[in-house]
Amino acid sequence: MSDTPVIQTFELSKRFREVRAVDRVSIAVKRGQVFGFLGPNGSGKTTTIGMLMGIITPTAGSFALFGASDPKGHLAARARVGATLETPNFYPYMSGRDNLRVAATIKGVGNDRIDECLEIVGLAGRGRHRFRTYSLGMKQRLALAATMLNDPELVILDEPANGLDPQGMKEVRDIIRILADRGKTIFLSSHLLWEVERMCTHVAIVRKGQVMKVGTVAEIVSEQVRALVRVEDAGALEAALADYPDATGVQTTDEGTVISLRSDDLAGLNRYLAARGIYASHLSRHQQTLEDAFIELTRGDYGSMTEIAS
Amino acid sequence: MKRLGTLLRIEFIKARKRPALWLTLGVFIFFTVVTVLPNLVRALEGGGPGPPFALPWIWRAVLQPPINMGPFFLAAAMILLFAPEFGWKTAGQNVIDGLAKEHLFFGKLITFALLLAAFFIVPIVTGVAASIISPEPTGTFARGAELNHMFGYALALSLWGSIGFLLAATIRASGGALGIMFLYFLVENMVTSIVPVWNPALERHLNFLPTQLFDTLTRTEFHYPDALARANEQRAAMGQPLLDFPDHGAVVASVLGFVALFVGVSFVTMRKRDL
């Protein structure tokens, strides 16, 4: 197995008139990774995938799929990919099975695979019904079946849990797990952070078309030391922190006040607050979640952590 | 060759259960049969004063309105089959699944060619069947004038089918594309009737616009000398300018030029625009 990334983008950009939908995105997805591509709605996730899949022409930059960087190579590489974009895109007047026949014919796959894939996603009993009669969950599962037809090495899923109820989300998650367990590389775009945190090994966070941070989930969430403090007067606490040299940010949450620190000297923080007559009823190390990291990185889209100048 | 087989198969799977295709073709077949039926009944009852309702004379009766409206049915069928693929985003999904945009275009070109063949064959089969049933004496399949008439009908199919193809590829919504097609039809007819009043010298050029070309290609008077003579007798009696056979070479070149232009623009649009 070569170390060539399955997906690699080089300053990939797309402009729609004045709007910079994707702005110099450079990422690399290696074989076997479950790669989460996170961003708020309108951050350029679908456009990036559209460029990788050949339906949107980049305005600048380039990309490689399985090492192939020219259009002919991209076309050949797409035979090793199973992908679905945004909403499930099928012919509404045709049955689920006939829709899969179209995809299977394009992918050069026999009809026997259609039954297998319908079985895996739990649609074997509804395969002959028209697509337009399917519930959203069934449509998403049919889209997953279509991506699996050619037993792809790379599976690209764009918001696969969009509009699903908790049971539907779990079913989709289970299918993605099955694919990951089979060694497939998975590129998953989503804005459902807990979903991504549960499934992904690597993450890129995008905002307004730009990659803000990329790395393993652990790398994304653990770089900053945080403390969770509960006090009677949160306003006094925030005011006091303005002069605390170790503090870099403060955020009020339902749980209490979260303080970003330069060091993990929580005892020092406690002493500093006590010296100013602020006594904490709770002080603990706060493990940053992917959601915290995401909100911090996409600040402006969601609000929250206030920077402390020191 | 393998790719061609793939394109044929997927277009077949998509088209065979497409209600819009069967509805358009069904309505056209209905009009064809309904138009031919009174002539056939007359022939079965002993025939009328005109030429026999049998081969080769039958083509003049078969390829007349509303059967000669086949090109507009073909354009509508092309729009209804092609344009929704953008709204449903299935065109994009086909590319994601492994087709190049060019393949997608050629798949639709195959559909266009097959539909053109279908809309050409329907009146031909109807004519032959009516001639077999008709008790009147049958001659050869077609003579020069009838072959010209058929060729004109085929060219009209190509011209308006390519207009449907272009509108589907550029407008990407069946309602909008059909609306624009009918609007164009109206506007062109208005322009060709108003402009010559102001500038008679332009009339000759306006005759090479698509709707006027359709008229030239399918009009009985422009294929049969006796029909032209009869029409001119009537026009002379009414004090109208006389008709003349059109320059066939110029008409054919114009139609082929338009078809190449419309299909070419569709191809460039498909390649350039995002799906």
Side-chain angles (χ1 to χ4, degrees):
Chain A
M1 278 290 155
S2 75
D3 279 345
T4 311
V6 173
I7 299 173
Q8 191 160 21
T9 67
F10 309 93
E11 307 251 309
L12 195 61
S13 304
K14 178 69 184 182
R15 221 179 222 286
F16 294 109
R17 297 211 171 112
E18 297 308 306
V19 180
R20 224 183 255 269
V22 176
D23 190 8
R24 288 164 289 153
V25 165
S26 295
I27 51 168
V29 180
K30 293 195 173 155
R31 202 174 290 273
Q33 289 181 352
V34 180
F35 194 99
F37 198 50
L38 302 182
N41 290 333
S43 57
K45 305 186 294 292
T46 301
T47 307
T48 304
I49 295 175
M51 287 191 280
L52 295 175
M53 291 292 94
I55 60 169
I56 296 174
T57 310
T59 39
S62 61
F63 66 94
L65 284 177
F66 296 100
S69 53
D70 61 303
K72 207 174 168 189
H74 289 157
L75 186 62
R78 285 213 298 277
R80 298 159 73 182
V81 181
T84 180
L85 210 66
E86 244 176 344
T87 49
N89 305 321
F90 291 106
Y91 300 90
Y93 64 93
M94 276 161 48
S95 68
R97 203 170 188 289
D98 277 344
N99 269 294
L100 292 191
R101 274 185 69 199
V102 172
T105 306
I106 294 171
K107 291 166 189 256
V109 174
N111 284 351
D112 47 338
R113 267 300 285 172
I114 294 173
D115 296 322
E116 276 176 49
C117 292
L118 283 171
E119 193 73 48
I120 292 171
V121 299
L123 283 177
R126 292 293 303 271
R128 296 193 185 280
H129 295 181
R130 283 186 184 188
F131 177 73
R132 69 158 66 101
T133 66
Y134 284 14
S135 69
L136 185 56
M138 290 163 71
K139 288 175 179 174
Q140 291 282 20
R141 281 188 278 155
L142 187 70
L144 282 170
T147 61
M148 287 189 280
L149 277 172
N150 54 336
D151 195 20
E153 293 167 58
L154 167 65
V155 178
I156 297 179
L157 301 170
D158 186 19
E159 305 281 6
N162 237 2
L164 296 184
D165 58 18
Q167 179 61 28
M169 284 189 194
K170 186 184 174 305
E171 286 170 4
V172 167
R173 212 161 45 234
D174 290 344
I175 293 168
I176 293 171
R177 280 228 175 83
I178 291 169
L179 293 170
D181 290 345
R182 289 182 182 175
K184 310 291 181 200
T185 307
I186 295 172
F187 186 84
L188 174 75
S189 126
S190 182
H191 61 269
L192 299 176
L193 301 158
W194 51 271
E195 176 189 89
V196 170
E197 195 165 11
R198 282 181 189 194
M199 290 187 288
C200 294
T201 57
H202 293 72
V203 168
I205 295 178
V206 287
R207 181 190 173 220
K208 292 183 178 167
Q210 290 181 320
V211 173
M212 307 302 289
K213 203 163 189 180
V214 62
T216 63
V217 175
E219 282 167 354
I220 299 272
V221 298
S222 67
E223 277 179 10
Q224 191 124 44
V225 179
R226 284 162 179 247
L228 176 67
V229 182
R230 287 192 201 119
V231 293
E232 274 189 11
D233 186 352
L237 171 66
E238 282 196 32
L241 286 171
D243 296 326
Y244 187 58
D246 257 12
T248 58
V250 62
Q251 178 188 0
T252 304
T253 69
D254 292 342
E255 289 179 86
T257 304
V258 177
I259 305 163
S260 300
L261 298 167
R262 286 201 177 86
S263 73
D264 61 354
D265 183 11
L266 296 192
L269 172 66
N270 200 14
R271 277 196 301 276
Y272 173 83
L273 293 176
R276 276 152 186 78
I278 299 168
Y279 300 101
S281 62
H282 177 98
L283 176 79
S284 65
R285 192 186 174 87
H286 179 73
Q287 179 60 53
Q288 191 191 32
T289 61
L290 188 59
E291 187 173 348
D292 295 328
F294 177 82
I295 287 173
E296 196 175 317
L297 288 163
T298 57
R299 197 182 311 154
D301 295 317
Y302 292 95
S304 280
M305 186 68 85
T306 309
E307 272 182 52
I308 295 173
S310 54
Chain B
M1 227 26 214
K2 193 184 163 204
R3 186 61 74 182
L4 186 69
T6 302
L7 294 176
L8 267 171
R9 268 199 301 280
I10 62 168
E11 289 304 317
F12 173 72
I13 298 169
K14 289 180 202 175
R16 79 191 166 111
K17 288 188 179 167
R18 188 88 173 90
L21 168 67
W22 299 116
L23 188 73
T24 322
L25 204 54
V27 170
F28 180 61
I29 291 170
F30 172 78
F31 276 129
T32 309
V33 172
V34 162
T35 310
V36 168
L37 218 52
N39 290 306
L40 184 59
V41 170
R42 206 176 303 126
L44 288 169
E45 286 171 350
F53 191 66
L55 293 173
W57 306 277
I58 200 167
W59 299 121
R60 193 187 300 202
V62 169
L63 294 172
Q64 64 167 344
I67 300 175
N68 72 348
M69 299 302 270
F72 299 106
F73 279 91
L74 172 61
M78 220 34 239
I79 288 170
L80 292 170
L81 280 185
F82 189 11
E85 293 234 20
F86 299 102
W88 296 331
K89 296 188 177 177
T90 45
Q93 189 62 45
N94 287 171
V95 170
I96 289 170
D97 288 339
L99 286 185
K101 281 180 179 176
E102 293 81 358
H103 295 148
L104 198 67
F105 171 83
F106 283 114
K108 291 302 162 199
L109 207 56
I110 291 171
T111 304
F112 175 32
L114 293 176
L115 278 177
L116 194 150
F119 278 90
F120 182 74
I121 286 168
V122 166
I124 302 302
V125 168
T126 308
V128 171
S131 180
I132 291 169
I133 297 167
S134 171
E136 300 195 273
T138 301
T140 58
F141 175 75
R143 298 163 304 185
E146 286 89 14
L147 285 175
N148 268 344
H149 199 176
M150 283 180 201
F151 183 58
Y153 174 67
L155 280 177
L157 281 173
S158 314
L159 176 62
W160 278 87
S162 68
I163 290 174
F165 195 96
L166 173 73
L167 290 172
T170 51
I171 308 296
R172 298 184 168 195
S174 45
L178 285 171
I180 288 176
M181 186 175 84
F182 289 115
L183 193 66
Y184 173 77
F185 184 78
L186 292 176
V187 169
E188 195 203 292
N189 277 309
M190 281 165 67
V191 167
T192 48
S193 52
I194 293 169
V195 170
V197 176
W198 300 96
N199 188 348
L202 283 175
E203 187 170 12
R204 216 162 52 86
H205 303 291
L206 293 174
N207 284 339
F208 288 94
L209 289 174
T211 310
Q212 309 311 307
L213 279 173
F214 161 80
D215 189 49
T216 307
L217 290 164
T218 58
R219 206 162 161 172
T220 314
E221 290 89 332
F222 292 148
H223 296 288
Y224 305 97
D226 62 308
L228 181 69
R230 215 171 22 253
N232 278 340
E233 267 173 37
Q234 287 171 1
R235 292 175 80 92
M238 290 157 69
Q240 289 177 341
L242 299 185
L243 297 172
D244 198 2
F245 273 123
D247 177 350
H248 284 111
V251 169
V252 172
S254 306
V255 170
L256 295 181
F258 272 129
V259 172
L261 175 72
F262 296 151
V263 172
V265 171
S266 306
F267 180 69
V268 173
T269 306
M270 282 283 287
R271 279 193 76 173
K272 283 232 163 206
R273 275 175 67 179
D274 296 333
L275 291 172

PDB file of all heavy atoms in Angstrom, chain A residues 139-158:
ATOM      1  N   LYS A 139     -34.513   7.384   2.017  1.00  0.00           N
ATOM      2  CA  LYS A 139     -33.751   8.000   0.913  1.00  0.00           C
ATOM      3  C   LYS A 139     -32.263   8.049   1.269  1.00  0.00           C
ATOM      4  O   LYS A 139     -31.410   7.771   0.422  1.00  0.00           O
ATOM      5  CB  LYS A 139     -34.275   9.414   0.640  1.00  0.00           C
ATOM      6  CG  LYS A 139     -35.639   9.430  -0.027  1.00  0.00           C
ATOM      7  CD  LYS A 139     -36.173  10.840  -0.168  1.00  0.00           C
ATOM      8  CE  LYS A 139     -37.529  10.812  -0.877  1.00  0.00           C
ATOM      9  NZ  LYS A 139     -38.166  12.124  -0.925  1.00  0.00           N
ATOM     10  N   GLN A 140     -31.975   8.414   2.514  1.00  0.00           N
ATOM     11  CA  GLN A 140     -30.565   8.470   2.946  1.00  0.00           C
ATOM     12  C   GLN A 140     -29.946   7.076   2.888  1.00  0.00           C
ATOM     13  O   GLN A 140     -28.787   6.910   2.485  1.00  0.00           O
ATOM     14  CB  GLN A 140     -30.459   9.009   4.381  1.00  0.00           C
ATOM     15  CG  GLN A 140     -30.829  10.485   4.521  1.00  0.00           C
ATOM     16  CD  GLN A 140     -29.722  11.426   4.068  1.00  0.00           C
ATOM     17  OE1 GLN A 140     -28.824  11.049   3.332  1.00  0.00           O
ATOM     18  NE2 GLN A 140     -29.798  12.674   4.495  1.00  0.00           N
ATOM     19  N   ARG A 141     -30.733   6.078   3.298  1.00  0.00           N
ATOM     20  CA  ARG A 141     -30.181   4.710   3.280  1.00  0.00           C
ATOM     21  C   ARG A 141     -29.963   4.231   1.842  1.00  0.00           C
ATOM     22  O   ARG A 141     -29.001   3.524   1.562  1.00  0.00           O
ATOM     23  CB  ARG A 141     -31.119   3.762   4.035  1.00  0.00           C
ATOM     24  CG  ARG A 141     -30.922   3.891   5.547  1.00  0.00           C
ATOM     25  CD  ARG A 141     -31.672   2.842   6.293  1.00  0.00           C
ATOM     26  NE  ARG A 141     -33.068   3.217   6.468  1.00  0.00           N
ATOM     27  CZ  ARG A 141     -34.065   2.355   6.654  1.00  0.00           C
ATOM     28  NH1 ARG A 141     -33.823   1.062   6.664  1.00  0.00           N
ATOM     29  NH2 ARG A 141     -35.282   2.767   6.829  1.00  0.00           N
ATOM     30  N   LEU A 142     -30.865   4.635   0.936  1.00  0.00           N
ATOM     31  CA  LEU A 142     -30.674   4.260  -0.469  1.00  0.00           C
ATOM     32  C   LEU A 142     -29.394   4.915  -1.009  1.00  0.00           C
ATOM     33  O   LEU A 142     -28.648   4.292  -1.778  1.00  0.00           O
ATOM     34  CB  LEU A 142     -31.884   4.677  -1.310  1.00  0.00           C
ATOM     35  CG  LEU A 142     -31.860   4.171  -2.756  1.00  0.00           C
ATOM     36  CD1 LEU A 142     -32.069   2.656  -2.810  1.00  0.00           C
ATOM     37  CD2 LEU A 142     -32.915   4.857  -3.609  1.00  0.00           C
ATOM     38  N   ALA A 143     -29.163   6.158  -0.578  1.00  0.00           N
ATOM     39  CA  ALA A 143     -27.942   6.856  -1.006  1.00  0.00           C
ATOM     40  C   ALA A 143     -26.703   6.105  -0.492  1.00  0.00           C
ATOM     41  O   ALA A 143     -25.713   5.954  -1.222  1.00  0.00           O
ATOM     42  CB  ALA A 143     -27.944   8.285  -0.498  1.00  0.00           C
ATOM     43  N   LEU A 144     -26.791   5.616   0.728  1.00  0.00           N
ATOM     44  CA  LEU A 144     -25.664   4.835   1.261  1.00  0.00           C
ATOM     45  C   LEU A 144     -25.480   3.537   0.466  1.00  0.00           C
ATOM     46  O   LEU A 144     -24.355   3.134   0.173  1.00  0.00           O
ATOM     47  CB  LEU A 144     -25.903   4.501   2.742  1.00  0.00           C
ATOM     48  CG  LEU A 144     -25.632   5.639   3.729  1.00  0.00           C
ATOM     49  CD1 LEU A 144     -26.130   5.272   5.115  1.00  0.00           C
ATOM     50  CD2 LEU A 144     -24.144   5.952   3.786  1.00  0.00           C
ATOM     51  N   ALA A 145     -26.614   2.910   0.109  1.00  0.00           N
ATOM     52  CA  ALA A 145     -26.536   1.680  -0.699  1.00  0.00           C
ATOM     53  C   ALA A 145     -25.847   1.967  -2.027  1.00  0.00           C
ATOM     54  O   ALA A 145     -25.004   1.188  -2.493  1.00  0.00           O
ATOM     55  CB  ALA A 145     -27.936   1.120  -0.932  1.00  0.00           C
ATOM     56  N   ALA A 146     -26.193   3.127  -2.636  1.00  0.00           N
ATOM     57  CA  ALA A 146     -25.592   3.494  -3.927  1.00  0.00           C
ATOM     58  C   ALA A 146     -24.093   3.705  -3.794  1.00  0.00           C
ATOM     59  O   ALA A 146     -23.325   3.322  -4.680  1.00  0.00           O
ATOM     60  CB  ALA A 146     -26.261   4.755  -4.470  1.00  0.00           C
ATOM     61  N   THR A 147     -23.677   4.286  -2.673  1.00  0.00           N
ATOM     62  CA  THR A 147     -22.236   4.531  -2.504  1.00  0.00           C
ATOM     63  C   THR A 147     -21.474   3.216  -2.325  1.00  0.00           C
ATOM     64  O   THR A 147     -20.307   3.134  -2.647  1.00  0.00           O
ATOM     65  CB  THR A 147     -21.929   5.433  -1.290  1.00  0.00           C
ATOM     66  OG1 THR A 147     -22.408   4.786  -0.117  1.00  0.00           O
ATOM     67  CG2 THR A 147     -22.555   6.787  -1.415  1.00  0.00           C
ATOM     68  N   MET A 148     -22.171   2.201  -1.826  1.00  0.00           N
ATOM     69  CA  MET A 148     -21.483   0.929  -1.540  1.00  0.00           C
ATOM     70  C   MET A 148     -21.427  -0.017  -2.738  1.00  0.00           C
ATOM     71  O   MET A 148     -20.742  -1.031  -2.694  1.00  0.00           O
ATOM     72  CB  MET A 148     -22.195   0.223  -0.379  1.00  0.00           C
ATOM     73  CG  MET A 148     -21.958   0.883   0.958  1.00  0.00           C
ATOM     74  SD  MET A 148     -22.594  -0.127   2.293  1.00  0.00           S
ATOM     75  CE  MET A 148     -24.305   0.251   2.257  1.00  0.00           C
ATOM     76  N   LEU A 149     -22.186   0.309  -3.791  1.00  0.00           N
ATOM     77  CA  LEU A 149     -22.337  -0.619  -4.915  1.00  0.00           C
ATOM     78  C   LEU A 149     -21.019  -1.173  -5.447  1.00  0.00           C
ATOM     79  O   LEU A 149     -20.893  -2.369  -5.679  1.00  0.00           O
ATOM     80  CB  LEU A 149     -23.077   0.082  -6.064  1.00  0.00           C
ATOM     81  CG  LEU A 149     -24.603   0.121  -5.975  1.00  0.00           C
ATOM     82  CD1 LEU A 149     -25.152   1.015  -7.063  1.00  0.00           C
ATOM     83  CD2 LEU A 149     -25.202  -1.272  -6.093  1.00  0.00           C
ATOM     84  N   ASN A 150     -20.059  -0.281  -5.649  1.00  0.00           N
ATOM     85  CA  ASN A 150     -18.804  -0.718  -6.287  1.00  0.00           C
ATOM     86  C   ASN A 150     -17.742  -1.080  -5.256  1.00  0.00           C
ATOM     87  O   ASN A 150     -16.565  -1.138  -5.590  1.00  0.00           O
ATOM     88  CB  ASN A 150     -18.275   0.384  -7.227  1.00  0.00           C
ATOM     89  CG  ASN A 150     -18.131   1.729  -6.534  1.00  0.00           C
ATOM     90  OD1 ASN A 150     -18.801   1.989  -5.546  1.00  0.00           O
ATOM     91  ND2 ASN A 150     -17.274   2.578  -7.047  1.00  0.00           N
ATOM     92  N   ASP A 151     -18.188  -1.336  -4.005  1.00  0.00           N
ATOM     93  CA  ASP A 151     -17.270  -1.654  -2.920  1.00  0.00           C
ATOM     94  C   ASP A 151     -16.096  -0.668  -2.928  1.00  0.00           C
ATOM     95  O   ASP A 151     -14.935  -1.048  -3.081  1.00  0.00           O
ATOM     96  CB  ASP A 151     -16.755  -3.096  -3.075  1.00  0.00           C
ATOM     97  CG  ASP A 151     -16.098  -3.584  -1.787  1.00  0.00           C
ATOM     98  OD1 ASP A 151     -16.368  -3.001  -0.721  1.00  0.00           O
ATOM     99  OD2 ASP A 151     -15.281  -4.519  -1.868  1.00  0.00           O
ATOM    100  N   PRO A 152     -16.394   0.624  -2.771  1.00  0.00           N
ATOM    101  CA  PRO A 152     -15.368   1.649  -2.995  1.00  0.00           C
ATOM    102  C   PRO A 152     -14.293   1.659  -1.914  1.00  0.00           C
ATOM    103  O   PRO A 152     -14.547   1.269  -0.776  1.00  0.00           O
ATOM    104  CB  PRO A 152     -16.170   2.951  -2.946  1.00  0.00           C
ATOM    105  CG  PRO A 152     -17.330   2.648  -2.067  1.00  0.00           C
ATOM    106  CD  PRO A 152     -17.659   1.211  -2.297  1.00  0.00           C
ATOM    107  N   GLU A 153     -13.135   2.148  -2.301  1.00  0.00           N
ATOM    108  CA  GLU A 153     -12.047   2.302  -1.321  1.00  0.00           C
ATOM    109  C   GLU A 153     -12.259   3.576  -0.518  1.00  0.00           C
ATOM    110  O   GLU A 153     -11.831   3.677   0.616  1.00  0.00           O
ATOM    111  CB  GLU A 153     -10.702   2.386  -2.045  1.00  0.00           C
ATOM    112  CG  GLU A 153     -10.322   1.085  -2.742  1.00  0.00           C
ATOM    113  CD  GLU A 153      -9.175   1.303  -3.698  1.00  0.00           C
ATOM    114  OE1 GLU A 153      -8.099   1.760  -3.258  1.00  0.00           O
ATOM    115  OE2 GLU A 153      -9.355   1.024  -4.896  1.00  0.00           O
ATOM    116  N   LEU A 154     -12.890   4.553  -1.158  1.00  0.00           N
ATOM    117  CA  LEU A 154     -13.154   5.840  -0.502  1.00  0.00           C
ATOM    118  C   LEU A 154     -14.652   6.125  -0.548  1.00  0.00           C
ATOM    119  O   LEU A 154     -15.268   6.057  -1.612  1.00  0.00           O
ATOM    120  CB  LEU A 154     -12.402   6.954  -1.250  1.00  0.00           C
ATOM    121  CG  LEU A 154     -12.777   8.396  -0.916  1.00  0.00           C
ATOM    122  CD1 LEU A 154     -12.434   8.749   0.529  1.00  0.00           C
ATOM    123  CD2 LEU A 154     -12.063   9.366  -1.864  1.00  0.00           C
ATOM    124  N   VAL A 155     -15.206   6.404   0.625  1.00  0.00           N
ATOM    125  CA  VAL A 155     -16.634   6.741   0.694  1.00  0.00           C
ATOM    126  C   VAL A 155     -16.747   8.208   1.119  1.00  0.00           C
ATOM    127  O   VAL A 155     -16.185   8.601   2.138  1.00  0.00           O
ATOM    128  CB  VAL A 155     -17.371   5.845   1.720  1.00  0.00           C
ATOM    129  CG1 VAL A 155     -18.840   6.252   1.821  1.00  0.00           C
ATOM    130  CG2 VAL A 155     -17.255   4.380   1.330  1.00  0.00           C
ATOM    131  N   ILE A 156     -17.427   9.002   0.300  1.00  0.00           N
ATOM    132  CA  ILE A 156     -17.615  10.422   0.620  1.00  0.00           C
ATOM    133  C   ILE A 156     -19.093  10.654   0.911  1.00  0.00           C
ATOM    134  O   ILE A 156     -19.958  10.373   0.065  1.00  0.00           O
ATOM    135  CB  ILE A 156     -17.153  11.319  -0.552  1.00  0.00           C
ATOM    136  CG1 ILE A 156     -15.655  11.124  -0.792  1.00  0.00           C
ATOM    137  CG2 ILE A 156     -17.454  12.788  -0.264  1.00  0.00           C
ATOM    138  CD1 ILE A 156     -15.079  11.941  -1.930  1.00  0.00           C
ATOM    139  N   LEU A 157     -19.363  11.119   2.110  1.00  0.00           N
ATOM    140  CA  LEU A 157     -20.754  11.329   2.513  1.00  0.00           C
ATOM    141  C   LEU A 157     -20.927  12.776   2.951  1.00  0.00           C
ATOM    142  O   LEU A 157     -20.207  13.254   3.824  1.00  0.00           O
ATOM    143  CB  LEU A 157     -21.121  10.386   3.663  1.00  0.00           C
ATOM    144  CG  LEU A 157     -20.972   8.898   3.364  1.00  0.00           C
ATOM    145  CD1 LEU A 157     -21.118   8.087   4.633  1.00  0.00           C
ATOM    146  CD2 LEU A 157     -21.992   8.453   2.332  1.00  0.00           C
ATOM    147  N   ASP A 158     -21.873  13.437   2.330  1.00  0.00           N
ATOM    148  CA  ASP A 158     -22.119  14.841   2.642  1.00  0.00           C
ATOM    149  C   ASP A 158     -23.390  14.934   3.477  1.00  0.00           C
ATOM    150  O   ASP A 158     -24.483  14.676   2.973  1.00  0.00           O
ATOM    151  CB  ASP A 158     -22.271  15.607   1.315  1.00  0.00           C
ATOM    152  CG  ASP A 158     -22.394  17.105   1.523  1.00  0.00           C
ATOM    153  OD1 ASP A 158     -22.014  17.587   2.606  1.00  0.00           O
ATOM    154  OD2 ASP A 158     -22.868  17.778   0.605  1.00  0.00           O
TER     155      ASP A 158
END
